[in-house]
Amino acid sequence: MADASATLAANGEATPAASPAASILAPYSKRVVIKTILGAPDGGLSLVGQTVVVGGWVKTGREQGKGTFAFLELNDGSCPANLQVIVKAEVATLGDLVATGTCVRVEGELKRTPEGTKQLVEVHVSKVLHVGPCDAGVYPIAKTKLSLEYLRSVMHLRPRTNTIAAVARIRNALAFATHTFFQQHGFLYVHTPIVTTNDCEGAGEMFHVTTLIAETERREKALLENPPPSDADVAAAKDAVTAAGGAVKALKEAKASKEEIKAGVAELTKAKEALAALEARSKMRPGLPRKGEDGKGPVDFAADFFARQAFLTVSGQLQVETYACALSSVYTFGPTFRAENSHTTRHLAEFWMVEPEIAFADLEDDMKCAEDYVRFLCQWLLDNCRDDMQFMTKMFDKTALDRLAHVATSPFARVTYTEAIELLQQAIKGGKKFENAVEWGIDLASEHERYLAETHFKTPVIVYNYPKEIKAFYMRLNDDDKTVAAMDVLVPGVGELIGGSQREERYDVLVKRLEEMDLPRELYEWYLDLRKYGTVPHAGFGLGFERMILFATGIDNIRDAIPFPRYPGHADL
């Protein structure tokens, strides 16, 4: 065992005796993260005898032995487990350390805990290197269990709670797994724009990006401070231009000197500039700029920042298709936005989407990729995030780990939309009641999707070949002229997790679909060009990232699956 003098000091420099533990020193922060100790295969026993520097926030603290020492439960966010730290009164003022929320960085020897203790190691502190005090009397994150709804009101502090920290680590793991899956399969990561001029979904529920409101307020304030010129003022300015022009003409006719003519021209230029400024200000009106001679037409977005209407994107799919039609397999992963005034537990105004696009692929390829991806994510959490998943299973959903294991190892069921409708109708005949009617042509409601995944198949199911009337214009029309090559992946607990399709690669058919859905062709000419110049069969899908987190963790509200939830009436921080 290493000598107790072996040290990982606060300056990050290790003595030769400390070299076995030096390799676990966290880069850039001169400490050993708690996960490195407690997450080791032996629970940290191999480090016993080493002097380490650890830091974190006090979860619980208590003085013992009539104030001679204190126990601190320290967590640095690297794992769900807390590291027990023992501080003696001669080392530091214990009252400054024990309050929940206090941040400390300490140096001490890692020792084995007494027999029968759950945790195998603890730190006996020799130095207190930092104290970030916290008044427990007003600290919003009390030791008692707090509701997730309350925690949304203290969004800046909620990452310190066990639940939100676990969700953050699970989210991180899923993001890393996403990039790993697509990179391993030869996909290129493409950054698609957040500001767009296209409505991918055709729903119209988009956030406008505009500077017109700020410009209008600035202009109206300027008009109040300096009212526009009258007609008489403009007429007088015109007379001044005429007079200055006449003066220059007279000077030239009189063959005046160059200096005199130059001075006259300068006066004329000055008069013209003054007239132009007056005429511009005389046209200024309060309110948004509008089209039409009377200024009462629709808003004139030509006066806006981008000289046209612009929105926050609802999907990067259309843009990423441009790269799929040149670089083959690509994906985008970023924030998307929907101005839907919904207050349900399944909707956000800002959410993240994973959207791969595959050239030379059809619907079958698309479904296989989606299934493999979801199964990969589930296995990744089992392999790399088990401690957090165990916490979520204990606290929120007793079936979470079993569900991940089942999905990771089981093939997905597949049914056509028509078959799905028939199954739902059979369920109704058997006594099942749905709030929403079931008939061919409906867009499946969440209750229908969950029944199929949770009750009938008891596993994820892919429903494909949907009626064209309920799907987007870009989805490939099937030979029956009634359905499109679309697919949705439905999972237990959530319903739709993935939506995708084979894209319509036939130019004429795509033009007709745009016309049928009354979409302005001029906005999609660039999209049509992808079919006009070297068209290629291709397919893709979108996975709602927060919905994947709901599915994995079993938490009920999507607002707790994202660090900073945006929904109607709420855009905190």
Side-chain angles (χ1 to χ4, degrees):
M1 183 177 290
D3 188 271
S5 64
T7 303
L8 293 179
N11 64 5
E13 296 179 357
T15 66
S19 58
S23 62
I24 65 169
L25 191 67
Y28 319 123
S29 65
K30 303 181 180 67
R31 66 186 174 96
V32 178
V33 297
I34 291 173
K35 182 179 181 180
T36 303
I37 299 171
L38 301 182
D42 63 357
L45 289 176
S46 60
L47 298 172
V48 167
Q50 293 290 327
T51 298
V52 297
V53 173
V54 295
W57 290 265
V58 175
K59 288 289 187 176
T60 61
R62 64 189 187 280
E63 295 185 38
Q64 296 284 296
K66 297 182 179 180
T68 59
F69 67 95
F71 288 106
L72 307 179
E73 292 287 326
L74 210 62
N75 191 286
D76 64 1
S78 61
C79 64
N82 303 325
L83 177 65
Q84 182 164 282
V85 173
I86 300 174
V87 189
K88 292 182 179 179
E90 56 263 32
V91 174
T93 304
L94 302 183
D96 294 341
L97 306 177
V98 296
T100 298
T102 300
C103 179
V104 299
R105 185 159 64 104
V106 298
E107 180 179 292
E109 183 182 353
L110 203 62
K111 294 188 176 183
R112 185 160 189 164
T113 56
E115 195 77 29
T117 307
K118 183 179 179 181
Q119 202 169 91
L120 298 177
V121 294
E122 61 191 13
V123 174
H124 290 237
V125 174
S126 56
K127 293 180 185 177
V128 175
L129 305 174
H130 167 79
V131 177
C134 181
D135 185 346
V138 296
Y139 185 46
I141 311 296
K143 287 186 285 186
T144 54
K145 186 176 181 180
L146 300 168
S147 71
L148 294 175
E149 183 178 7
Y150 167 77
L151 291 177
R152 285 178 225 128
S153 69
V154 286
M155 200 176 300
H156 57 299
L157 294 173
R158 72 175 188 164
R160 297 188 187 183
T161 64
N162 295 335
T163 298
I164 299 303
V167 171
R169 288 187 292 266
I170 290 168
R171 184 184 178 100
N172 172 72
L174 288 170
F176 191 84
T178 291
H179 289 295
T180 301
F181 175 83
F182 288 111
Q183 293 295 327
Q184 286 181 351
H185 288 86
F187 284 69
L188 187 76
Y189 180 33
V190 176
H191 295 153
T192 51
I194 290 175
V195 178
T196 180
T197 56
N198 296 116
D199 181 359
C200 177
E201 300 299 323
E205 296 169 333
M206 303 178 75
F207 288 102
H208 279 255
V209 176
T210 180
T211 59
L212 286 181
I213 295 173
E215 286 296 316
T216 297
E217 290 178 344
R218 181 195 60 76
R219 186 173 63 255
E220 289 179 343
K221 182 180 179 181
L223 286 172
L224 285 174
E225 294 173 350
N226 186 12
S230 64
D231 292 342
D233 293 332
V234 175
K238 289 181 178 179
D239 290 342
V241 169
T242 301
V248 170
K249 181 179 180 182
L251 288 169
K252 289 180 178 179
E253 289 176 349
K255 296 183 179 180
S257 67
K258 288 184 179 180
E259 289 74 13
E260 289 176 315
I261 294 174
K262 185 177 180 180
V265 170
E267 285 297 319
L268 174 60
T269 301
K270 185 177 178 181
K272 287 181 176 180
E273 289 174 349
L275 173 61
L278 278 177
E279 287 180 327
R281 292 196 67 254
S282 70
K283 296 175 183 178
M284 292 175 65
R285 298 288 184 271
L288 293 171
R290 295 186 175 276
K291 295 178 180 179
E293 295 266 337
D294 56 0
K296 295 181 179 180
V299 175
D300 185 8
F301 287 100
D304 207 349
F305 186 89
F306 294 108
R308 61 192 301 182
Q309 274 188 293
F311 311 92
L312 294 180
T313 184
V314 297
S315 170
Q317 178 214 311
L318 298 187
Q319 288 85 357
V320 85
E321 279 189 56
T322 66
Y323 275 71
C325 293
L327 302 175
S328 295
S329 296
V330 297
Y331 72 105
T332 185
F333 180 14
T336 54
F337 307 84
R338 186 70 61 84
E340 185 177 358
N341 191 23
S342 173
H343 296 265
T344 75
T345 60
R346 292 292 186 269
H347 287 88
L348 288 167
E350 177 184 278
F351 51 98
W352 285 61
M353 292 289 292
V354 179
E355 298 175 289
E357 202 72 27
I358 316 164
F360 305 99
D362 58 17
L363 185 62
E364 175 63 30
D365 299 313
D366 203 34
M367 291 190 287
K368 186 177 187 309
C369 181
E371 179 174 343
D372 288 350
Y373 171 47
V374 173
R375 293 171 63 181
F376 183 89
L377 293 181
C378 293
Q379 189 62 53
W380 187 276
L381 290 182
L382 292 172
D383 294 341
N384 299 282
C385 223
R386 185 169 286 272
D387 52 356
D388 285 307
M389 285 306 308
Q390 287 172 337
F391 172 82
M392 299 306 295
T393 300
K394 178 182 177 182
M395 302 301 296
F396 289 93
D397 185 348
K398 305 300 181 187
T399 65
L401 274 170
D402 291 340
R403 183 170 60 250
L404 289 180
H406 171 73
V407 173
T409 57
S410 303
F412 291 8
R414 293 190 188 184
V415 292
T416 66
Y417 169 88
T418 301
E419 291 168 339
I421 292 295
E422 291 171 353
L423 290 173
L424 294 170
Q425 290 173 336
Q426 289 172 13
I428 292 172
K429 290 178 182 177
K432 175 66 179 176
K433 292 184 178 179
F434 294 110
E435 291 183 6
N436 298 276
V438 176
E439 60 183 18
W440 201 94
I442 66 162
D443 196 358
L444 296 180
S446 179
E447 60 175 338
H448 303 144
E449 296 169 341
R450 294 185 62 174
Y451 171 82
L452 291 169
E454 296 169 16
T455 304
H456 186 83
F457 290 103
K458 296 182 175 61
T459 193
V461 54
I462 302 178
V463 180
Y464 61 98
N465 288 346
Y466 280 79
K468 67 178 183 179
E469 286 78 13
I470 61 173
K471 289 297 183 180
F473 74 94
Y474 51 75
M475 298 185 177
R476 195 182 199 277
L477 189 65
N478 287 327
D479 292 340
D480 61 13
D481 203 36
K482 296 192 302 182
T483 62
V484 289
M487 65 91 180
D488 289 339
V489 178
L490 315 179
V491 296
V494 173
E496 182 187 341
L497 177 65
I498 284 176
S501 71
Q502 182 176 344
R503 315 311 188 189
E504 183 56 76
E505 86 280 9
R506 296 165 294 184
Y507 181 90
D508 294 342
V509 177
L510 188 58
V511 169
K512 185 178 179 182
R513 289 288 286 150
L514 284 168
E515 293 171 351
E516 288 175 354
M517 302 189 75
D518 199 26
L519 292 171
R521 176 170 171 171
E522 62 272 14
L523 291 181
Y524 298 95
E525 284 294 349
W526 65 270
Y527 191 68
L528 290 168
D529 279 352
L530 300 177
R531 282 73 179 166
K532 189 175 180 181
Y533 306 114
T535 189
V536 60
H538 59 289
F541 61 81
L543 174 137
F545 197 61
E546 285 74 29
R547 291 196 173 196
M548 181 63 206
I549 295 170
L550 291 187
F551 170 66
T553 62
I555 57 175
D556 293 325
N557 199 314
I558 201 167
R559 297 168 188 173
D560 303 313
I562 191 169
F564 305 101
R566 272 76 174 106
Y567 51 100
H570 296 269
D572 301 324
L573 277 64

